[in-house]
Amino acid sequence: MNTDYYRVFLVVARLRSLTRAAEELFTSQPAITRTIKNLENELGTKLFSRSKKGVELTREGEILFDHVQSAFNLLEKGEREIASSTSLSKGSLSIGTTITALDEFLFDFIEEFRRHYPGIRLKLNTQSSDKTISSLRQGSVDIAFVTTPFKQYPDLKQTKLKSFENIVICGSEFKELQKGTFSLSELSHYPFVYLSTAMQLREYTDEVFAKEGAKVEPLIELDGASMIMPMVEKNLGISIVPKSLVKGGLERGSIFEVKLNKPLPKRDVMMVESTSFPASSALREFLAKAKEH
């Protein structure tokens, strides 16, 4: 089968538009339509359906998309590997990471790695743990750094790098929480700033409260951990966060740590590798150095 069919399929699936795909590929819309029709005839199934905004993948199209994207990512990795110097004087790595893993481990490690291999280009992509793992399995990134908890897959190999502390924080107006110690059950009655349900910190927070027989109804839900501290500083609620993410606020005195009658369970930074794709020489060295670090 002509691999150009699959290349056109990927562009149409990504843009959800035959017209925009034609513009990106410098061809005509009828040519794009013919290519998709030929591919559908070869496979004996419909890959796209019309929508008000353009086209949408069918169920069969979504299945094909994951495989084709992984295949093209693998080809691109091969090209990058050939282009890389065996002496590791040049090359590139795409790294998927969460904000917490970046702050807890990667910042320091990348500084060390760059001293040894200044010619290797590093591209960082920050997302949630689930999205980072998905990017790794599709081959969109070479290596992933995430924090627990996250979903496990048989085609992934993981290495624990370090554990880190989580704390409860409050703003200046919650004066009663700045003295004494509290249980999670007592804190569950306060307004909470939470992450959305798709985030690992939210899952962790729900779990620690559930173990104490308590449940929190969030007053404010956010899409990223970096927004928690500004909300707490404005006294819009209290929250659970990795201590490293709010170190500056604690030192400035704009937020305060709420002392608990027993410490929160620690979380781990994990390095996750895919066993489905071959590792480049740059990636092999990066993995080795990360484990040493």
Side-chain angles (χ1 to χ4, degrees):
M1 187 175 290
N2 192 336
T3 54
D4 286 340
Y5 287 180
Y6 287 117
R7 193 177 299 278
V8 171
F9 167 77
L10 277 180
V11 176
V12 175
R14 176 166 53 84
L15 298 177
R16 298 293 198 268
S17 168
L18 297 171
T19 303
R20 290 169 60 195
E23 291 172 354
E24 181 164 315
L25 294 170
F26 301 101
T27 187
S28 66
Q29 182 175 328
I32 295 292
T33 302
R34 279 196 306 273
T35 299
I36 294 300
K37 182 60 67 177
N38 289 340
L39 181 58
E40 289 178 332
N41 289 338
E42 290 280 355
L43 297 175
T45 189
K46 226 176 148 45
L47 301 173
F48 293 97
S49 60
R50 294 278 183 179
S51 70
K52 292 181 180 179
K53 296 182 179 179
V55 293
E56 296 290 339
L57 286 167
T58 62
R59 186 179 65 84
E60 292 78 10
E62 290 177 350
I63 294 171
L64 182 64
F65 178 77
D66 288 339
H67 290 285
V68 174
Q69 182 169 263
S70 295
F72 273 87
N73 285 335
L74 187 57
L75 288 173
E76 290 172 3
K77 283 185 177 184
E79 291 173 352
R80 292 199 302 268
E81 174 70 358
I82 291 172
S84 299
S85 167
T86 55
S87 64
L88 294 178
S89 61
K90 60 181 180 179
S92 64
L93 287 174
S94 180
I95 302 166
T97 180
T98 64
I99 292 294
T100 305
L102 181 64
D103 192 72
E104 289 283 352
F105 179 82
L106 271 181
F107 276 136
D108 288 341
F109 170 63
I110 287 175
E111 181 182 9
E112 175 189 321
F113 185 80
R114 290 281 296 163
R115 284 199 298 268
H116 289 91
Y117 304 106
I120 296 179
R121 291 178 288 112
L122 303 177
K123 179 183 177 182
L124 269 67
N125 182 16
T126 56
Q127 299 184 100
S128 68
S129 288
D130 285 345
K131 289 182 179 179
T132 298
I133 292 297
S134 178
S135 295
L136 177 66
R137 299 186 73 218
Q138 291 176 353
S140 301
V141 298
D142 299 308
I143 186 69
F145 292 84
V146 298
T147 53
T148 55
F150 64 93
K151 191 173 181 180
Q152 311 291 313
Y153 293 94
D155 59 332
L156 300 179
K157 177 183 177 183
Q158 53 186 284
T159 303
K160 178 181 172 181
L161 299 174
K162 66 173 294 187
S163 298
F164 60 93
E165 185 180 358
N166 303 273
I167 62 172
V168 179
I169 58 171
C170 70
S172 58
E173 292 184 7
F174 292 88
K175 297 188 182 300
E176 72 279 13
L177 297 181
Q178 297 170 31
K179 297 179 181 180
T181 60
F182 300 86
S183 68
L184 288 177
S185 295
E186 291 172 311
L187 295 179
S188 65
H189 303 294
Y190 281 83
F192 256 81
V193 176
Y194 249 35
L195 291 185
S196 62
T197 54
M199 309 294 283
Q200 272 56 47
L201 180 56
R202 170 65 177 270
E203 184 179 338
Y204 166 83
T205 304
D206 285 342
E207 286 180 0
V208 296
F209 272 101
K211 287 179 180 177
E212 296 296 318
K215 183 179 180 181
V216 171
E217 291 296 334
L219 179 67
I220 298 175
E221 292 188 75
L222 305 169
D223 289 330
S226 61
M227 294 184 285
I228 291 178
M229 188 169 73
M231 291 289 184
V232 174
E233 286 176 325
K234 296 291 185 182
N235 296 293
L236 296 174
I238 67 175
S239 191
I240 291 179
V241 290
K243 190 170 186 177
S244 62
L245 289 185
V246 296
K247 184 178 178 182
L250 292 170
E251 292 174 349
R252 291 193 305 271
S254 61
I255 59 171
F256 303 87
E257 179 179 352
V258 179
K259 299 298 182 182
L260 300 176
N261 57 1
K262 59 181 179 180
L264 293 171
K266 289 187 175 182
R267 295 166 65 202
D268 300 320
V269 177
M270 308 293 291
M271 180 170 68
V272 187
E273 310 165 49
S274 173
T275 59
S276 301
F277 302 103
S280 66
S281 53
L283 178 57
R284 288 193 295 271
E285 191 62 19
F286 188 87
L287 294 172
K289 290 293 183 184
K291 291 172 183 176
E292 290 176 10
H293 185 81

